Amino acid sequence: MLRERTVRLQYGSRVEAVYVLGTQLWTDVYSAAPAGAQTFGLKHSERVRVEVVRDGQAEEVATNGKQRWPLSPSTTLRLTMSQASPEASSDKVTVSYYEEEGITPVDQAGLFLTAIEISLDVDADRDGVVEKNNPRKASWTWGPEGQGAILLVNCDRDTPWLPQEDCSDEKVYSKEDLKDMSQMILRTKGPEHLPAGYEIVLYISMSDSDKVGVFCVETLQGIKKLLLELPRVLPPCVWQYPFFGQRYVHILGRRKLYHVVKYSGGSEELLFFVEGLRFPDEGFAGLVSIHVSLLEYMAETGVKSTLTRPPDLSHAQEIPLTPVFTDTVTFRIAPWIMTPNILPPVSVFVCCMKDNYLFLKEVKNLVEKTSCELKVCFQYMNRGDRWIQDEIEFGYIEAPHKGFPVVLDSPRDGNLKDFPVKQLLGPDFGYVTREPLFETVTSLDSFGNLEVSPPVTVDGKTYPLGRILIGSSFPLSGGRRMTRVVRDFLQAQQVQVPVELYSDWLTVGHVDEFVTFVPIPGTKKFRMLMASTSACYKLFREKQKEGHGEAIMFKGLGGMSSKRITINKILSNESLVQENQYFQRCLDWNRDILKKELGLTEQDIIDLPALFKMDKNHQARAFFPNMVNMIVLDKDLGIPKPFGPQVEEVCCLETHVRCLLEPLGLCCTFVDDISAYHKFLGEVHCGTNVRRKPFAFKWWHMEP
């Protein structure tokens, strides 16, 4: 639909106006007529198309001006042009007013037009290239056929000596920083100069000023001629360097709401670089808009000599500016996306501690079976904090032109709090965090309590990037809950709609203590693994019936218990049985939620034996190493070694788990974490972290 604008004529005078290609000008010939005029005629330049519109019917006007039309309140003119004017005010429309039988006009009104082209353009079709004047660039839609540009939060650090992310200042230090930004082009075409009284302004709203930043390229004074000579005297590696003779100036964002664009005439493309400053969050859906307007300093006036160029925008105006044309582009800031266990691993992170040498060695051996790398956080950095899963969560952001990993830093701020900024934040590795202002941080704010499912379909609704899982308190219990700022952040990303589970029944209270997901190698399918106390009691009763009631747990681990623990003793411990019946009810509550919210059936779930014991606060902690708290590296699983009852010198828990998982093509490696992690209320997953490859699926193709 064409944009429209009204221009008022004045008999006896000439009105100058700038026409923007792709719009329509309307003018009322009746209101501008002198007294006594009954009819009117028209003359116009060849580049102007004029239509007389009477009672809704349009009639195109020839250029010769011989035809006349009766004056009527319902008669207006519609003007359009298809090409830019070669000179200012070079295209004309003349309205001649006549008395009823008159031959000579009683007066005339002149409209002097300057046609220019203005188009603010972005990559609205999401192919990585800025196209020209996409008709849907001002809106944003989801789906494979959706339109609208995408913006990355510039949250990495391409310049090593800077203390914070690139988006924290208003400077560009390297060409790598520019690659993180989305390009925007302002295309103009027209005569060498605009008529006096017009200006082109790029601007954003106050509400978007803390969410988006824009840079433009400036060639330094006196360097333009030199740049033309450089190819003859310097090698390409020097003169093609993007910062040679140029600087990138911050023009919009934060305190800067507008920027006056210099109009240079002819056909010109001005390149801008746009960066995101904030992720979607509570009260911010992720959409930002940038506008360009052609501004007029005075209303159309009859005498050309009365139009004078006004002072700069920074000075007060006696007559307010009026926009005569506005073009708008809309960006959506790319969401932060978590990566589930089914995606291939890139790096495995683990802390080096004084007491975990053997654990570290076993993890190293496990990682060597895969194609990923092991990254060790040494003691000078971890400062005695071994829970690297709790401190951070790896994810990524992506736009059509680029993507990179982004680490979400938890509010727990243990001794690992400096690790994400000092060791991870860097070139093409971003950082984001959310800190509560007034809420108390609890164990549920650690990111062992933050997981994500594989892609699922629920009642016909597809979640191609899976759904986030977080632990919370039982409804109406008033227990612990993940802090609101983190929950709001996760919800606002839209593409992995969170599911709240009940984890407050656990001492630590993390979802990774009772659920995980494993891929089925060679397929896109997966299985959900859940801790199950009923599965454990069922297995132990079977072994008891087979005559293995005196099989010993924790064999060879003298520090675990002063008493000899057997299957018979566990099954005869009534208080332990009752406690685990309660814990199974908690597990089943979560099982039902997961089946409903992830669209799963019982065939999609595998129960792993687990036992818990109740602490003094009536919350659960693992009786033996909790096998569901594993690390998943493609088909290779690093499972906490349970030290279960020995049946024929083999742990019956290990044998049972192998029988469940290895037929799926998975490889089970049992890792001894009992002294370095289990006794501190954590397991293998708690003590490791995995960065994974991003989804092949593009998030903008989904429909939330």
Side-chain angles (χ1 to χ4, degrees):
M1 182 177 178
L2 293 175
R3 283 168 280 194
E4 299 179 349
R5 174 191 170 206
T6 297
V7 177
R8 296 194 176 276
L9 297 177
Q10 183 176 346
Y11 70 86
S13 303
R14 56 181 285 185
V15 173
E16 289 190 340
V18 173
Y19 170 85
V20 180
L21 298 183
T23 65
Q24 292 180 342
L25 285 184
W26 290 85
T27 184
D28 180 4
V29 292
Y30 180 80
S31 298
Q38 299 293 318
T39 62
F40 70 95
L42 292 168
K43 286 185 179 181
H44 61 88
S45 304
E46 290 186 358
R47 281 187 295 269
V48 185
R49 182 172 185 260
V50 181
E51 294 174 287
V52 176
V53 181
R54 295 184 295 172
D55 299 319
Q57 300 297 315
E59 177 186 352
E60 189 169 350
V61 179
T63 60
N64 56 26
K66 294 181 179 180
Q67 188 174 357
R68 293 191 190 180
W69 293 267
L71 279 170
S72 151
S74 63
T75 301
T76 55
L77 302 182
R78 180 166 61 197
L79 314 177
T80 55
M81 298 179 68
S82 59
Q83 55 182 302
S85 301
E87 297 178 7
S89 302
S90 60
D91 293 293
K92 305 176 182 64
V93 176
T94 303
V95 180
S96 299
Y97 293 100
Y98 299 88
E99 294 179 341
E100 188 169 2
E101 300 296 334
I103 299 175
T104 304
V106 295
D107 215 329
Q108 291 182 321
L111 179 59
F112 287 68
L113 297 173
T114 303
I116 64 172
E117 180 180 344
I118 301 177
S119 178
L120 188 61
D121 294 322
V122 291
D123 178 20
D125 61 3
R126 305 169 189 165
D127 64 354
V129 179
V130 177
E131 66 272 15
K132 186 174 181 180
N133 213 12
N134 188 314
R136 297 164 66 185
K137 63 188 177 183
S139 59
W140 209 97
T141 53
W142 295 87
E145 305 302 321
Q147 296 280 314
I150 294 169
L151 205 56
L152 296 177
V153 176
N154 196 7
C155 59
D156 67 341
R157 183 171 60 193
D158 289 308
T159 308
W161 63 81
L162 294 179
Q164 294 178 295
E165 309 93 294
D166 290 337
C167 61
S168 63
D169 59 27
E170 299 176 359
K171 298 183 182 299
V172 173
Y173 294 97
S174 73
K175 62 179 181 179
E176 299 304 319
D177 195 8
L178 295 176
K179 293 179 181 178
D180 299 335
M181 304 184 195
S182 296
Q183 292 188 1
M184 180 175 70
I185 297 175
L186 176 60
R187 294 182 168 99
T188 58
K189 186 176 182 180
E192 184 176 355
H193 300 289
L194 294 178
Y198 290 91
E199 201 104 61
I200 298 174
V201 176
L202 201 67
Y203 64 97
I204 56 176
S205 66
M206 177 71 78
S207 61
D208 284 346
S209 63
D210 62 340
K211 303 173 182 71
V212 64
V214 180
F215 294 83
C216 73
V217 187
E218 277 192 4
T219 302
L220 302 180
Q221 288 294 328
I223 207 76
K224 290 184 178 180
K225 186 176 180 181
L226 175 62
L227 289 175
L228 297 176
E229 301 294 325
L230 286 180
R232 296 195 301 111
V233 296
L234 291 177
C237 63
V238 175
W239 62 265
Q240 289 182 353
Y241 183 66
F243 280 74
F244 193 92
Q246 296 176 325
R247 64 174 181 169
Y248 291 83
V249 181
H250 182 262
I251 59 168
L252 292 178
R254 296 186 173 92
R255 298 171 302 279
K256 301 169 185 173
L257 299 181
Y258 66 86
H259 171 74
V260 179
V261 179
K262 182 180 178 182
Y263 176 80
S264 300
S267 182
E268 188 173 27
E269 293 187 355
L270 297 178
L271 179 61
F272 300 90
F273 295 89
V274 187
E275 67 175 355
L277 304 180
R278 282 182 54 192
F279 281 95
D281 212 330
E282 174 69 16
F284 172 46
L287 295 175
V288 294
S289 294
I290 301 175
H291 317 272
V292 64
S293 282
L294 176 66
L295 297 182
E296 186 178 45
Y297 287 93
M298 300 179 67
E300 293 89 357
T301 186
V303 183
K304 182 181 178 184
S305 60
T306 64
L307 287 173
T308 58
R309 189 173 182 82
D312 184 76
L313 274 177
S314 60
H315 297 83
Q317 302 291 313
E318 292 184 6
I319 302 176
L321 293 72
T322 55
V324 297
F325 171 82
T326 298
D327 204 15
T328 298
V329 295
T330 296
F331 293 89
R332 180 177 290 279
I333 293 181
W336 180 78
I337 301 171
M338 289 181 64
T339 52
N341 287 349
I342 64 165
L343 293 177
V346 175
S347 304
V348 175
F349 292 80
V350 63
C351 290
C352 176
M353 312 296 295
K354 293 180 179 179
D355 60 356
N356 77 339
Y357 171 77
L358 293 178
F359 175 83
L360 204 59
K361 184 177 179 180
E362 291 189 53
V363 171
K364 181 176 181 291
N365 292 337
L366 176 67
V367 171
E368 286 176 350
K369 297 180 181 180
T370 71
S371 58
C372 61
E373 62 177 338
L374 179 67
K375 293 194 172 184
V376 179
C377 177
F378 292 99
Q379 294 179 53
Y380 76 90
M381 181 55 63
N382 66 54
R383 298 182 299 172
D385 188 348
R386 68 192 71 214
W387 309 114
I388 197 165
Q389 180 66 230
D390 289 341
E391 184 62 36
I392 57 175
E393 186 67 49
F394 289 108
Y396 70 96
I397 57 176
E398 185 177 24
H401 70 283
K402 188 174 183 180
F404 53 79
V406 176
V407 61
L408 176 62
D409 190 4
S410 79
R412 79 182 276 266
D413 285 345
N415 288 338
L416 271 165
K417 64 180 180 180
D418 294 334
F419 169 72
V421 172
K422 291 186 176 180
Q423 297 292 310
L424 298 178
L425 175 62
D428 290 342
F429 207 121
Y431 171 87
V432 62
T433 189
R434 287 294 180 269
E435 299 283 347
L437 294 177
F438 306 111
E439 292 180 274
T440 301
V441 174
T442 70
S443 174
L444 270 65
D445 292 303
S446 298
F447 285 167
N449 194 36
L450 175 61
E451 298 298 322
V452 64
S453 79
V456 293
T457 299
V458 186
D459 295 331
K461 169 69 175 175
T462 300
Y463 298 90
L465 303 176
R467 298 190 67 177
I468 287 172
L469 308 178
I470 59 174
S472 190
S473 57
F474 191 80
L476 306 179
S477 69
R480 297 170 295 174
R481 196 179 185 193
M482 181 178 282
T483 188
R484 184 179 182 86
V485 290
V486 177
R487 287 186 284 116
D488 287 346
F489 173 82
L490 298 173
Q491 185 74 41
Q493 307 314 303
Q494 297 190 63
V495 294
Q496 296 174 307
V497 181
V499 177
E500 279 199 70
L501 301 173
Y502 170 40
S503 66
D504 194 32
W505 59 278
L506 292 152
T507 301
V508 177
H510 294 175
V511 293
D512 70 351
E513 296 179 76
F514 61 83
V515 65
T516 192
F517 301 88
V518 294
I520 299 179
T523 74
K524 294 183 178 180
K525 298 179 181 179
F526 66 91
R527 291 290 184 268
M528 183 175 76
L529 310 185
M530 285 203 72
S532 172
T533 63
S534 62
C536 186
Y537 274 100
K538 179 182 178 182
L539 177 66
F540 283 3
R541 290 189 185 104
E542 289 175 356
K543 296 305 174 184
Q544 186 183 53
K545 287 181 180 179
E546 294 171 4
H548 302 295
E550 290 302 310
I552 301 172
M553 293 192 69
F554 307 119
K555 191 172 183 180
L557 296 175
M560 285 303 299
S561 174
S562 59
K563 297 180 180 180
R564 183 171 174 270
I565 301 175
T566 65
I567 289 178
N568 288 335
K569 287 186 176 179
I570 290 174
L571 295 178
S572 63
N573 187 332
E574 285 300 323
S575 61
L576 186 65
V577 169
Q578 290 179 7
E579 289 172 5
N580 278 278
Q581 287 174 344
Y582 162 71
F583 297 143
Q584 186 60 54
R585 290 175 185 172
C586 297
L587 289 164
D588 288 341
W589 174 277
N590 288 297
R591 187 189 198 93
D592 294 339
I593 294 174
L594 288 163
K595 286 168 64 177
K596 177 184 177 182
E597 298 295 338
L598 301 184
L600 303 179
T601 65
E602 284 296 323
Q603 287 70 38
D604 299 314
I605 305 172
I606 296 176
D607 290 320
L608 298 190
L611 276 186
F612 299 93
K613 53 187 176 182
M614 192 172 283
D615 65 15
K616 61 182 180 180
N617 294 318
H618 304 290
Q619 293 170 318
R621 57 181 63 188
F623 186 85
F624 56 80
N626 187 355
M627 292 183 288
V628 80
N629 193 269
M630 65 179 68
I631 183 175
V632 180
L633 306 175
D634 283 333
K635 65 180 179 62
D636 292 291
L637 311 180
I639 305 172
K641 187 175 181 64
F643 292 94
Q646 297 286 303
V647 176
E648 298 178 358
E649 302 301 319
V650 178
C651 172
C652 67
L653 290 171
E654 291 186 24
T655 301
H656 182 74
V657 170
R658 288 186 191 276
C659 291
L660 292 173
L661 301 180
E662 290 185 348
L664 300 176
L666 299 167
C667 180
C668 300
T669 299
F670 290 90
V671 179
D672 181 358
D673 71 352
I674 199 161
S675 61
Y677 292 89
H678 174 74
K679 73 177 184 180
F680 300 114
L681 305 184
E683 311 289 358
V684 174
H685 186 260
C686 305
T688 57
N689 213 317
V690 183
R691 181 168 79 86
R692 302 180 184 275
K693 291 182 180 180
F695 282 98
F697 180 87
K698 304 304 180 185
W699 62 265
W700 51 88
H701 287 167
M702 70 178 293
E703 299 182 15

